[in-house]
Amino acid sequence: MRRVFSPRNILLFLAVLVAVSYYGSYIFTDYLWFSNLGLEGVYVTTLVARTLVAVAAGLAAFLFMLVNLLVARRDGPPRAVEYILAGEVEIPITIPPTVVSRLTWLGPLVIAVLVGAAAREGWMTVLQFIHQTPFGLSDPFFKRDIGFYVFTLPFLRWLYHGAMFVLVATFAATAVYYLANRGLDFARGYPVGSRQAWRHLSVLGAAGFVLKAGGYILAQFNLLYSPRGVAVGASYTDIHAQLPVLRIMVVLALVVAGVVVAAGWMRRTSYVVAGVGFLLAASLVLGTAYPAFVQQFQVEPDEINKETPYILHNIAYTREAYGLNRIEEQEFPVTYNLVLADIQEEAATINNIRLWDWRPLRESYWQLQAIRPYYDFADVDLDRYVLDGRYRQVMIAAREMNLDNLTAEARTWMNLHLKYTHGYGVVMSPTTLATREGMPVFFLRDIPPVSSVPGLRVTRPEIYFGEMTNTYAIVNTEAGEFDYPLGDQNQYTNYAGPGGVQLSNPLIRLAFAIRLGSYQVFLADTITTESRAMIYRNIHEMVRKIAPFLRYDQDPYLVIGDDGHLFYIQDAYTVTSLYPYSERHPLGLNYIRNPVKISIDAYAGTVRYYLVDEAEPIARTIAGIFPSLFTPASAMPDDMRRHVRYPEDLFSIQADMYTTYHMRDPLVFYNREDLWVRPTQLYGDAERPQPGRGNAVQPHYMIIRLPGEEREELVQMLPFSPRERRNMIAWLAARSDGENYGDLIVYKFPKQELIYGPMQIEARIDQDTTISQHLTLWSQAGSNVIRGTLLVVPIKDSILYVEPLYLQAAGNRLPELKRVIVAYGDRIVMAETLGQGLQAIFGGGAVEGPDVTPGVPGERPTVGELARQANTLFAQAREAASRGDWAAYGQYLSELESILEQLQALAEREGR
């Protein structure tokens, strides 16, 4: 009994208890979190699959090695053995028999743990192999379905590498055991030993060469990813030299396996050495030298003719893998005959030209609408809404809680996790409007949210799940949660949604306390059985926790639902790098689709994965593994469906690949005669890279009417330039609305005409004496001139260029939209508003006086709109005065003065 309760055993028991409690708390709380989302089936499947794969692989490795060691033990028990290491000093090494005996069990156990831990990471490979879905397309040489390469080949590689590791480890352990029991002996300078030892080790060695033959078979399929030729995929040399060599190596490996077995039975070491040496020599000569000879002396002298069939395969499969074969090509015959009537006819496009770049607008939001230091805006998203009967492009941002901005004194446990639990409200502004002072015009603003547009409302402004919610929160406690500031006081609330895990009993509280490393979670009196623990509140982390096997777009965007609740839309992709003959993108993939759209409720935290492309093979395979994960697209709510847009990352990747793979003629492709690139862009005052985006033009969303279409729609577009040139050669459009969603169109410019690219327009702006003088003067006056993104706007058969200019005072983070540069044909003008710029070019002169809101022809505010804005501002000013916020009061009065001036100007125009 004393030995059972010895200090060592007690410490061991406590260590095991701590480890089980720690890891068990993660498993238990994760299960509760998944269960709260209705996705416990996903978690259980993942946990069971990981466990079963690890246990099965580890058990197989353990039994295989153990059986071989027990067979070796039949040749005699281990004995004390001494070996002398020769050198300047002879060092005897003794292997005690007890050590070797223990290693009989301990060795297989260690290998089993290593193999199980490594195999555990391949759980998804195993499940995808079991549930694989065919692609319906075969490779051109082996005639196997693409699904074989995406699902079966990774599984076979996984088996091969695991089996080879176990076999090598078993061979080494068995050899050591025979050395210990004198089944093998090197005392004479060469191996001698028992018949059993020779035969046993020869069988293990032969099994290794048989397995190597299997490796050569798998290597044949790897040729479809070969980079040897002009393009990725099996080339002439791979098919006519490397493939026959691999088939020969399969036979040679099997022959060497037979030689090794014969050598074991005959106890001839020389046979083994000769066989292995022959295989290595054959691999070097046949596997390396011969293909290199064929490439240099047969292919390179006539490369284009030899490689043409393989180039065609690469083009076809790459275009299929990235969905480029869906791109419709149209000619865009550029003319410069637009008149003012054309501009007015295209008012839907003109009225939605984005004058607010997201970077300066985010700064403006932070200065004008953060309200308190602990609020912040993670991003500014672009979307479209029907507002007051108009289809409008708007910028929208969530006002989130940034706990990093709390003072050190305020960063207590209660404040971080019980009090400051959520952000509040959103800010929305149109992309085209600015006040007289150059500030954004707000459709939604302030706390609580105030709308200046009829029908636009936010009924549930609390943001518990967002892009900056990086800490856990305990909600619905007796302490109450800070809701929003109200003058000198604060408004408090208690969470009433289903988000998080209810702390309904002490066991759940204890599990979360252990998991979160916080004893307060278990002991705090303010936490009740109705309280809820929220983890994984950052939506980026949340979706990756649920489905790590999907790839996610980097820019989820916020949407206001029809009933006023807030939710995010996140695009998810199925990708692989194993699509045969497909060129690999720099991001490491060579196939991508967007079959999944995800919604995340900002208040409730509910998550829905909508399967919008049920025919996509990888998504179908995942659905077979996790039946409860996906929701049919038919169940998608209408307010989400209206805001679905073609995703940015997918469009960007497709555009990258299309720069090369628009060429379908093998001779043109071989010579890279028509290679395109993204044009570079200028932001600020230099052609410099943007953080995380490089210096290439990024795709942007626009509401435009495409050539030949009847109405405007949301389109994502990107221009292209010829390689090492700065003019434009084409532009690519992706449609997002209604039945046209997902349609891709490339509009090609005439190659015999010069169509200015973005940097050429920037150079012309710099060369314009009037504009350059203003830019220099503003810079010398202490203002920072920010040149926004140059927009390329297709209008009928013409191209219009628009670039906003912002001024930012030194030491001030509040940019102001001060000028708009418009370029068309050979004319460039800078005006206070877009409307004045357009009329200066198309109407014979600039309009006197600024168009404040919105400043474009065809979209002047009505008396009713201005009156509503005036009433809203007056009410906001009174509310600000009542709470003593005199800075806000002055700002509201300034904006009210601007609205009244517009009313007066409008009345004078109508009076005339």
Side-chain angles (χ1 to χ4, degrees):
M1 184 65 67
R2 290 181 179 179
R3 294 185 61 185
V4 173
F5 292 100
S6 66
R8 186 180 69 175
N9 289 344
I10 293 175
L11 289 176
L12 180 62
F13 172 76
L14 291 177
V16 171
L17 179 63
V18 169
V20 170
S21 300
Y22 179 76
Y23 290 106
S25 69
Y26 273 86
I27 295 173
F28 181 49
T29 54
D30 274 349
Y31 173 79
L32 294 175
W33 182 77
F34 273 89
S35 181
N36 177 256
L37 295 175
L39 297 172
E40 62 272 19
V42 175
Y43 182 71
V44 171
T45 299
T46 301
L47 184 63
V48 171
R50 287 177 181 268
T51 303
L52 288 181
V53 169
V55 170
L59 183 61
F62 176 80
L63 292 176
F64 183 79
M65 179 175 283
L66 179 63
V67 167
N68 278 277
L69 292 180
L70 292 178
V71 169
R73 190 168 186 170
R74 292 173 55 189
D75 201 37
R79 295 176 289 175
V81 182
E82 287 192 358
Y83 292 96
I84 304 297
L85 295 182
E88 294 182 1
V89 179
E90 293 186 348
I91 304 174
I93 298 179
T94 302
I95 305 177
T98 55
V99 173
V100 179
S101 181
R102 290 175 181 176
L103 288 177
T104 303
W105 296 90
L106 185 59
L109 183 62
V110 171
I111 294 299
V113 171
L114 293 176
V115 169
R120 181 174 180 269
E121 301 305 315
W123 66 277
M124 193 62 181
T125 300
V126 176
L127 292 184
Q128 286 187 326
F129 168 73
I130 296 172
H131 295 272
Q132 63 181 283
T133 302
F135 277 65
L137 177 67
S138 300
D139 76 272
F141 290 108
F142 301 109
K143 306 303 180 183
R144 291 182 178 268
D145 187 86
I146 302 300
F148 169 82
Y149 297 94
V150 175
F151 304 121
T152 302
L153 190 57
F155 175 73
L156 295 178
R157 289 174 179 168
W158 178 79
L159 282 181
Y160 170 76
H161 291 297
M164 184 62 79
F165 174 79
V166 172
L167 191 57
V168 171
T170 300
F171 182 89
T174 305
V176 169
Y177 200 97
Y178 278 122
L179 288 173
N181 65 9
R182 299 296 175 90
L184 284 180
D185 197 341
F186 287 85
R188 301 179 185 178
Y190 55 88
V192 295
S194 68
R195 178 177 300 176
Q196 175 182 316
W198 275 92
R199 292 181 175 181
H200 187 183
L201 292 176
S202 69
V203 169
L204 288 176
F209 285 105
V210 171
L211 194 59
K212 183 62 178 176
Y216 286 128
I217 294 175
L218 295 181
Q220 298 177 31
F221 300 111
N222 292 341
L223 294 178
L224 298 187
Y225 312 106
S226 170
R228 187 198 303 270
V230 176
V232 167
S235 63
Y236 179 92
T237 300
D238 292 317
I239 296 300
H240 293 86
Q242 196 73 55
L243 181 58
V245 165
L246 287 173
R247 290 170 174 169
I248 293 173
M249 294 303 296
V250 171
V251 176
L252 292 181
L254 294 175
V255 170
V256 171
V259 170
V260 170
V261 171
W265 255 251
M266 300 172 65
R267 290 191 280 185
R268 296 292 181 89
T269 309
S270 58
Y271 288 5
V272 176
V273 174
V276 174
F278 177 73
L279 187 66
L280 292 176
S283 176
L284 179 64
V285 175
L286 296 179
T288 303
Y290 175 63
F293 176 86
V294 172
Q295 179 70 24
Q296 183 172 354
F297 295 101
Q298 289 189 27
V299 176
E300 291 184 3
D302 189 25
E303 191 169 42
I304 181 59
N305 291 322
K306 289 288 195 300
E307 297 289 4
T308 291
Y310 311 101
I311 293 175
L312 288 172
H313 293 318
N314 172 260
I315 293 173
Y317 282 81
T318 299
R319 288 175 61 88
E320 173 65 29
Y322 291 96
L324 305 183
N325 51 5
R326 298 188 297 108
I327 297 178
E328 177 187 351
E329 296 184 359
Q330 294 187 17
E331 298 298 324
F332 195 95
V334 179
T335 60
Y336 295 99
N337 54 6
L338 287 181
V339 296
L340 186 59
D342 296 320
I343 298 297
Q344 293 171 339
E345 183 181 343
E346 298 292 333
T349 296
I350 299 298
N351 292 339
N352 283 289
I353 292 178
R354 178 167 58 87
L355 299 182
W356 281 104
D357 204 352
W358 68 270
R359 287 155 291 215
L361 186 61
R362 182 174 179 269
E363 296 289 340
S364 296
Y365 280 3
W366 190 86
Q367 288 286 344
L368 300 175
Q369 284 294 302
I371 310 295
R372 291 291 187 270
Y374 39 75
Y375 286 129
D376 206 345
F377 299 95
D379 193 14
V380 179
D381 298 313
L382 187 147
D383 203 356
R384 74 284 199 195
Y385 289 78
V386 177
L387 301 175
D388 209 10
R390 298 177 182 175
Y391 188 57
R392 307 194 64 152
Q393 189 172 225
V394 299
M395 309 294 279
I396 183 172
R399 186 186 293 107
E400 297 196 53
M401 181 69 68
N402 187 348
L403 296 177
D404 292 337
N405 292 338
L406 288 177
T407 62
E409 295 78 11
R411 294 178 60 82
T412 64
W413 178 84
M414 178 169 284
N415 280 345
L416 292 176
H417 303 294
L418 271 65
K419 288 288 186 181
Y420 294 95
T421 57
H422 60 277
Y424 199 90
V426 299
V427 179
M428 178 190 286
S429 61
T431 58
T432 54
L433 307 188
T435 67
R436 185 175 182 178
E437 293 78 19
M439 299 292 105
V441 173
F442 295 109
F443 285 171
L444 281 171
R445 62 182 299 166
D446 294 346
I447 297 177
V450 176
S451 171
S452 62
V453 178
L456 181 64
R457 61 191 179 125
V458 177
T459 58
R460 182 56 80 180
E462 301 91 341
I463 300 172
Y464 285 85
F465 301 87
E467 296 186 73
M468 303 184 76
T469 46
N470 298 319
T471 61
Y472 71 88
I474 310 295
V475 298
N476 195 23
T477 66
E478 293 181 351
E481 304 158 43
F482 167 75
D483 201 21
Y484 59 87
L486 188 62
D488 294 333
Q489 304 296 320
N490 290 330
Q491 186 73 23
Y492 289 88
T493 188
N494 276 318
Y495 182 75
V501 177
Q502 186 173 346
L503 303 177
S504 56
N505 60 63
L507 177 61
I508 296 178
R509 285 186 66 172
L510 179 61
F512 273 100
I514 295 173
R515 180 211 175 101
L516 300 174
S518 172
Y519 65 88
Q520 296 97 327
V521 173
F522 187 70
L523 299 178
D525 294 333
T526 56
I527 298 177
T528 71
T529 56
E530 298 299 319
S531 300
R532 309 184 75 89
M534 293 182 173
I535 55 177
Y536 304 124
R537 296 199 298 144
N538 187 300
I539 62 173
H540 297 278
E541 181 185 18
M542 177 190 293
V543 295
R544 288 162 176 81
K545 178 65 178 179
I546 295 172
F549 35 79
L550 295 174
R551 193 180 187 116
Y552 297 93
D553 195 273
Q554 64 181 344
D555 185 29
Y557 54 100
L558 186 70
V559 175
I560 303 175
D562 289 346
D563 60 355
H565 79 287
L566 305 176
F567 64 95
Y568 289 89
I569 295 180
Q570 169 75 68
D571 284 284
Y573 308 113
T574 50
V575 302
T576 183
S577 60
L578 298 173
Y579 202 95
Y581 261 112
S582 178
E583 183 75 35
R584 183 170 293 193
H585 187 272
L587 292 177
L589 54 90
N590 70 356
Y591 169 92
I592 183 170
R593 291 293 187 273
N594 173 223
V596 181
K597 303 284 186 180
I598 306 170
S599 69
I600 307 113
D601 192 288
Y603 180 78
T606 52
V607 183
R608 295 289 181 270
Y609 284 68
Y610 293 99
L611 186 59
V612 296
D613 184 1
E614 297 181 357
E616 201 283 317
I618 299 180
R620 288 179 61 189
T621 297
I622 294 173
I625 299 171
F626 305 103
S628 63
L629 176 61
F630 294 130
T631 300
S634 58
M636 182 184 293
D638 290 339
D639 55 358
M640 178 179 175
R641 192 180 302 276
R642 287 195 300 271
H643 290 277
V644 165
R645 67 188 192 188
Y646 200 81
E648 294 183 41
D649 288 354
L650 174 60
F651 183 74
S652 185
I653 290 171
Q654 288 176 317
D656 288 340
M657 301 309 298
Y658 195 72
T659 57
T660 299
Y661 285 90
H662 68 277
M663 297 181 288
R664 282 175 282 183
D665 183 282
L667 182 59
V668 175
F669 186 94
Y670 174 81
N671 292 317
R672 297 296 198 266
E673 295 177 12
D674 193 21
L675 190 65
W676 297 352
V677 295
R678 294 193 197 186
T680 55
Q681 65 180 356
L682 183 147
Y683 178 77
D685 58 359
E687 185 181 1
R688 61 189 178 194
Q690 302 171 49
R693 296 173 180 258
N695 64 340
V697 171
Q698 299 300 315
H700 57 271
Y701 293 98
M702 297 179 63
I703 290 181
I704 63 173
R705 186 160 67 94
L706 292 172
E709 297 297 327
E710 295 182 357
R711 57 170 299 165
E712 69 277 8
E713 59 186 291
L714 183 70
V715 171
Q716 191 174 184
M717 68 167 294
L718 181 70
F720 294 117
S721 295
R723 184 181 59 176
E724 299 181 357
R725 297 289 185 271
R726 294 199 165 189
N727 60 292
M728 280 199 304
I729 192 69
W731 61 281
L732 179 65
R735 307 172 74 175
S736 293
D737 287 354
E739 295 180 354
N740 297 319
Y741 175 86
D743 289 350
L744 298 171
I745 307 173
V746 63
Y747 295 92
K748 294 184 175 182
F749 298 130
K751 293 185 178 181
Q752 66 275 14
E753 296 185 25
L754 172 64
I755 310 299
Y756 291 116
M759 288 309 299
Q760 289 176 321
I761 295 295
E762 297 288 4
R764 291 180 58 201
I765 292 173
D766 292 334
Q767 293 166 5
D768 186 283
T769 56
T770 302
I771 297 176
S772 62
Q773 287 175 3
H774 279 83
L775 298 181
T776 302
L777 182 62
W778 286 325
S779 298
Q780 292 175 348
S783 295
N784 180 26
V785 179
I786 302 174
R787 293 165 69 164
T789 300
L790 179 69
L791 300 177
V792 180
V793 185
I795 304 288
K796 292 194 171 181
D797 289 337
S798 296
I799 296 293
L800 188 71
Y801 305 86
V802 177
E803 179 176 278
L805 288 181
Y806 312 93
L807 290 186
Q808 188 175 38
N812 186 4
R813 291 179 56 187
L814 184 59
E816 301 174 1
L817 176 60
K818 285 302 183 184
R819 295 291 187 272
V820 179
I821 298 175
V822 182
Y824 176 72
D826 294 329
R827 297 201 61 190
I828 292 182
V829 299
M830 181 174 69
E832 292 187 0
T833 66
L834 175 59
Q836 292 179 3
L838 292 172
Q839 292 193 22
I841 290 180
F842 299 105
V847 177
E848 292 184 4
D851 293 328
V852 181
T853 52
V856 292
E859 197 185 341
R860 293 187 183 277
T862 65
V863 172
E865 291 173 347
L866 292 174
R868 281 194 296 269
Q869 293 181 34
N871 285 330
T872 300
L873 289 169
F874 180 68
Q876 291 171 339
R878 290 183 60 184
E879 195 275 333
S882 67
R883 68 173 187 262
D885 191 347
W886 301 110
Y889 177 78
Q891 180 181 338
Y892 291 138
L893 285 185
S894 176
E895 295 182 18
L896 179 59
E897 179 184 5
S898 174
I899 295 296
L900 293 175
E901 289 177 356
Q902 293 177 67
L903 272 170
Q904 181 180 357
L906 184 58
E908 291 176 355
R909 284 195 296 269
E910 293 180 352
R912 291 197 298 267

